[in-house]
Amino acid sequence: MSVQCKASMGDDTKKLLSEFQHEVGMFREGYNYMDHPELSLRIARSYMDNYPEFYFLDGWGTPLGINNECSSMQNKDSKPMHGGKRSGSGRKKGLPTENVRLVSDLADEFKQLSNYYKSCSDDERSELRSTLSDLLHEFG
């Protein structure tokens, strides 16, 4: 035994569908609803919200069909969510630095001095710069 069943639309649904198609501009000469996806999407979603049966009726010219078409068009126009700059990424700013070449024998001591300097308060840094300047003038 086999049962064949075809769903049919009632006259009310057909009338609503026809109203929707005219409102979205499907049969307006020189007008293409695809050229105005935001408006078409808003109209389609309004019909789907007001008449829930349109959530299940898919195909050409239906609110669900136009909703899917226009949504995919909007997704193509939007920028991808991967790659590119991200806020807050990258190296965090600290004290300004400068590359300096020095004799290898002094490298470890100057690295220690630099690390100590980074951990100091502003007053301690000022005092350390003054002390280094005085020391260099003694040798100079």
Side-chain angles (χ1 to χ4, degrees), residues 49-61:
D49 290 339
N50 291 328
Y51 310 102
E53 62 267 24
F54 285 130
Y55 274 103
F56 307 102
L57 184 63
D58 195 5
W60 183 86

Side-chain angles (χ1 to χ4, degrees), residues 60-74:
W60 183 86
T62 64
L64 182 58
I66 289 180
N67 177 66
N68 294 341
E69 274 183 275
C70 294
S71 291
S72 67
M73 285 177 57
Q74 283 187 326

